[in-house]
Every structure is written in structure tokens, then in C-alpha cells.
Amino acid sequence: MMKKIKRKQSGKKATKFRRICIVLFLYCIICGLAVTICLANATRTDDKINIDDLLPRKEKQHPQPQPQPNINPPRIIKLIKPGKHINIPPPEERIGPNGEKGFVHDPKFLVKDPRQFRIVEDEKDILCAPPGNGTEGQKGPPDLAKIRNHIETSQEKKNVTLFCAIYTYSARVNHTIAISETWGNKCDGMLYASDHSNIETGHVHIPSNSRAKFGYRGMIQRTRAILAYIYDNFLDDYDYFHLSGDDIFMMVENMKEFLASDTVREWEEVQDQYLFAGFWMNWGNMEDGSFYLGGGSGYTLSKKSLKAYVEGPLQTCDTRKEGSEEDVAFTDCARNLTNKFIDTSDSSGAYRYHQLSVSSHLNWHVRKSLEDMERLNVILPLMDIEDKSEYTSNSSVVFHKHTYAHELRRMELLLYKNLTDECKG
């Protein structure tokens, strides 16, 4: 009897134990499920449970990374290192204002410290003359008025950066001061390539290997040295580069408008085309069919063109040639890259780059050059160029041949200032 009772009690304990085990097992399952749900909720951004999170995991498909905007574009790979240009002095021959070798100037010196326009007392009578009685002549004011109107009203884009390079020398400091007080302030970068360095005036010593040193007969070699200096130090930093002498007046707003135009952009997109822009000349003793970029108004290069020119023709084309005709030499060497050159006239056929000042830019030799090129089908058919106002584009970019510094200030007054207000007192 006692044995039966013990077996019965033992069976009850076993049953109770099994029940406890089952309860604990179910409790563990419930806890595990709860933990899984909590983890799933912790990684979600909404309140819904995704049933997939509770199922065995599949191989997760990670989203593809989205391309980020290129805030800092990669630096251009240059093929020529400083000091390795053919027949160009090494960098250490550039002497800074304190005698330092290998001097590189700050091209933004005018952006950081703009020079104020001023009317010099001994120039006041010339500068403050009524329109038509100043250095612009009687035929100048209509051209300047329509250019001014275009500058003030144009809504065209100008979203490019421009580096302005001027070849000059110490005796021409009055001209470079006038440039700094007028149009030079609007360039994104400025260089006064000179025979000495001066922090106050912005002049930078850039020597060449010319036997004529900084004389007029040394212009071909000086131009080569300037292009190499710009390539070595500033190629990455600007979209376009304009090189000219110190006697030009540039309408920088119009220059940027032209360079930002679809015409220039589409030209640049063609692989074997390069932007060498300016006024195309054919006159004097040149052979039939020849033409060149007139150096008077200067020539404008894109970053792509400057790189290709310095890495190609600058190293191989007439590297030891001497002379003053730097524009002819430059164009002849550019032909080693391309025989296609952009037409810089506007949509009506009027011209943007001018070889002379507004008072005389359609004189006999410019007219002859245009007629020669039309006859040779070098450029588009010309309008009747007897009327200077039709020849001059509203969006003109450069006038050249300002013999005196006050001519640049006079242009500033007529294009941008109120003559009456500026000349009071």
C-alpha cells in the first residue's frame, strides 16, 4: 500500500516538473520574441513592425551610395613642371619686392584691396570735359552710350572667372595705377608682368631669355615667359585668361558675358577646338590668306587652351625667336594645335575686340584688315563698315591704344560714372 502511495506522489512530482519545464520553455520563447520585436522597432523610423524582420534573414541589399557634389574639383595634371619649360628662365630668377627668389605674387591683390577711382587735379580739365570734347572724340560718345546701356541692362549670365595679365614695365606705372583704379578691380585675378616687383603697384618681375631684355624687341620671349608663369601658378584657379599690354580698357562685364555664352561653351566642348579669341588681322606685308590675333586688344584663352598651348607649342615652336611681333608668333604657334578659330563678333556681325581707341578704332588699317579678310573668306561677311556705330558691338569687350593714363580714367567716367557728380568741386 505504501509503495503505491509513494509511486503516486512521485508521478505527481514528475507531472508538476514537466509542467514547470513547459511553462519555462514557453516563457523563453515569449521573451525571445519580445526581444526580437524590440530590436526591430529600435531600428525603424516608424511604429509599424515589418514581418520580414521576424523571419530568417536574407542577404541584405545595401542601397548604392549617391554621388556627392564635387565641391573641390581635382587639380589639373600638368605635364610641364616649373623650371622645365624650353628657353624659359627658372623660377628662382623671378625676384620679389624684398629680393626673394622664386617670387609668386598674390593675383587677388586688387580683389582684397580695391583701388579707389580718383580724378587727378592736373588732369581735371581733360577728364571733366563735356562728352565729345574729351579724348573719346566727337564720334566716341554714341558708341560708349550704347555699350554703357548694355552693361547696365544685360541679364545674360557672367558666371566665369577671369585672370587678366598685363605686360608692362616700371616706366609705365601710371598706366597700371589707372588700370587698378578702373577696370582692373573687376578681374578675378590680376598680373602686371614687369621688370621689377613692387607690392604697392602690383608689378611682378618676370624675366625672359630675350637678348632685348624688357625692350620692345623682346616681346616674343616676354610673352612666352608670362604664359609659362601663369601655367605654373594659376592654371587651376581660373576659367579664362586674357593677355594684353597696359594701354587697353576692358569692359570686364561684357568680357565675362561673352566667355559665359553658349557660343563659347559649345566651342570648348569640341575636343580638337581651342579658344583663342581676339580680333583677327590681315594687313601689311602678310601673305594672301594669312591672318593673326591682333595683340593690341589682346587675346583670350580658356584653361583648356592655355594648358594645351604651354604643353605643346610653347615647348616646340620657335622657342628662341626674337622680335616685337608677339601676336604673329603666338598665332603661328597656335596653328600647331588647330586651324579652327572662333569668330568673336556678336549676333549682328558687329565687333567686340577693338585694335584702337573708341575715337579711332575704325581707321584705315583696321578697315583694310577687315576688307582683306572678307575678300579671303577668312571671317563672316561684313556689314557696311562705313558706319562706325554699326561696326561697334553693344557688348564690346576691349578698346586699345590709350597713349596716356588719363584716357583710361576718361573711359571709366563715360562708361560707369556720373560725370557731373564726379567733377564737382
Side-chain angles (χ1 to χ4, degrees):
M1 183 68 178
M2 290 299 293
K3 290 181 179 179
K4 287 182 179 181
I5 292 172
K6 287 181 179 179
R7 280 197 300 270
K8 191 173 181 179
Q9 288 177 345
S10 177
K12 287 181 178 179
K13 288 181 180 179
T15 302
K16 187 177 181 179
F17 180 76
R18 284 195 297 271
R19 287 176 180 170
I20 291 172
C21 289
I22 292 171
V23 170
L24 289 174
F25 179 73
L26 292 174
Y27 180 77
C28 290
I29 292 176
I30 292 170
C31 288
L33 183 60
V35 170
T36 302
I37 292 172
C38 288
L39 290 173
N41 284 334
T43 58
R44 293 183 60 79
T45 57
D46 53 36
D47 295 326
K48 296 179 181 179
I49 299 173
N50 189 341
I51 192 64
D52 290 337
D53 292 334
L54 304 180
L55 297 176
R57 291 200 178 268
K58 300 177 181 178
E59 185 175 349
K60 197 164 185 178
Q61 298 296 318
H62 295 283
Q64 294 297 314
Q66 296 298 312
Q68 297 298 314
N70 194 356
I71 299 173
N72 296 311
R75 306 291 284 180
I76 294 174
I77 299 175
K78 299 176 187 175
L79 302 183
I80 310 295
K81 296 186 181 300
K84 300 299 182 182
H85 299 281
I86 303 299
N87 199 34
I88 302 289
E92 54 268 24
E93 291 194 22
R94 293 194 308 269
I95 306 301
N98 299 313
E100 61 271 39
K101 295 182 178 181
F103 178 69
V104 177
H105 83 297
D106 179 1
K108 296 185 180 297
F109 70 96
L110 287 180
V111 176
K112 296 175 180 177
D113 183 22
R115 308 302 196 258
Q116 295 299 312
F117 176 79
R118 62 197 173 98
I119 294 179
V120 182
E121 190 59 36
D122 60 2
E123 296 177 351
K124 189 170 183 179
D125 290 343
I126 300 173
L127 293 178
C128 295
N133 292 337
T135 55
E136 73 282 358
Q138 293 185 354
K139 294 184 178 180
D143 282 351
L144 296 176
K146 70 179 186 179
I147 293 170
R148 178 171 184 153
N149 181 66
H150 180 85
I151 292 171
E152 294 175 347
T153 61
S154 174
Q155 299 298 313
E156 296 296 324
K157 59 182 182 293
K158 304 175 180 67
N159 55 337
V160 297
T161 54
L162 176 65
F163 184 97
C164 304
I166 302 295
Y167 46 80
T168 186
Y169 59 101
S170 52
R172 299 279 289 183
V173 69
N174 287 338
H175 268 71
T176 56
I177 289 174
I179 290 174
S180 295
E181 293 177 3
T182 57
W183 64 267
N185 281 323
K186 299 168 190 172
C187 296
D188 301 291
M190 173 62 79
L191 165 66
Y192 296 132
S194 185
D195 55 351
H196 77 299
S197 293
N198 185 307
I199 289 294
E200 294 299 318
T201 64
H203 283 219
V204 183
H205 176 244
I206 301 182
S208 74
N209 284 336
S210 173
R211 295 187 298 275
K213 304 298 182 184
F214 292 91
Y216 188 53
R217 294 287 300 169
M219 279 308 306
I220 291 177
Q221 290 301 322
R222 284 196 69 194
T223 299
R224 296 182 69 253
I226 294 167
L227 292 172
Y229 173 75
I230 298 171
Y231 169 91
D232 287 345
N233 299 290
F234 310 116
L235 178 66
D236 287 284
D237 303 326
Y238 300 91
D239 299 318
Y240 295 93
F241 305 83
H242 185 82
L243 176 62
S244 68
D246 56 20
D247 56 350
I248 70 162
F249 190 97
M250 183 191 298
M251 286 68 75
V252 177
E253 302 90 340
N254 287 352
M255 177 67 86
K256 287 190 172 185
E257 179 182 304
F258 168 61
L259 296 174
S261 67
D262 290 340
T263 299
V264 171
R265 178 183 56 79
E266 291 167 4
W267 182 273
E268 278 280 279
E269 287 175 350
V270 178
Q271 186 174 1
D272 64 341
Q273 287 184 174
Y274 300 92
L275 184 79
F276 298 111
F279 183 81
W280 294 103
M281 299 286 292
N282 178 291
W283 67 288
N285 298 319
M286 299 191 72
E287 296 178 2
D288 247 11
S290 297
F291 63 100
Y292 67 100
L293 269 176
S297 54
Y299 21 92
T300 313
L301 289 74
S302 66
K303 181 182 304 191
K304 168 185 170 184
S305 302
L306 177 61
K307 182 178 188 296
Y309 188 91
V310 171
E311 293 177 352
L314 193 75
Q315 313 302 325
T316 60
C317 177
D318 292 335
T319 58
R320 300 189 179 277
K321 188 173 184 177
E322 295 274 8
S324 59
E325 303 87 359
E326 102 290 340
D327 43 10
V328 177
F330 176 86
T331 307
D332 287 345
C333 290
R335 292 183 189 279
N336 288 302
L337 287 174
T338 183
N339 280 314
K340 299 176 182 177
F341 297 96
I342 193 168
D343 177 18
T344 57
S345 59
D346 68 16
S347 58
S348 71
Y351 289 87
R352 289 186 170 101
Y353 289 76
H354 304 294
Q355 286 296 100
L356 296 172
S357 66
V358 70
S359 63
S360 57
H361 64 277
L362 193 56
N363 69 3
W364 71 269
H365 77 263
V366 173
R367 188 189 308 273
K368 181 179 185 301
S369 174
L370 293 171
E371 290 170 347
D372 285 347
M373 288 192 289
E374 181 183 27
R375 175 175 55 82
L376 298 166
N377 294 317
V378 170
I379 57 176
L380 297 177
L382 299 173
M383 66 193 76
D384 178 6
I385 57 174
E386 294 301 321
D387 187 345
K388 187 193 299 184
S389 64
E390 292 182 1
Y391 162 86
T392 308
S393 172
N394 294 357
S395 56
S396 291
V397 299
V398 177
F399 286 101
H400 169 240
K401 206 70 173 179
H402 300 96
T403 306
Y404 302 101
H406 66 254
E407 294 180 59
L408 302 178
R409 294 191 176 92
R410 176 69 174 179
M411 290 285 285
E412 179 77 7
L413 280 168
L414 295 179
L415 283 170
Y416 297 99
K417 306 291 186 181
N418 183 301
L419 191 63
T420 303
D421 291 346
E422 294 290 336
C423 292
K424 283 181 181 177

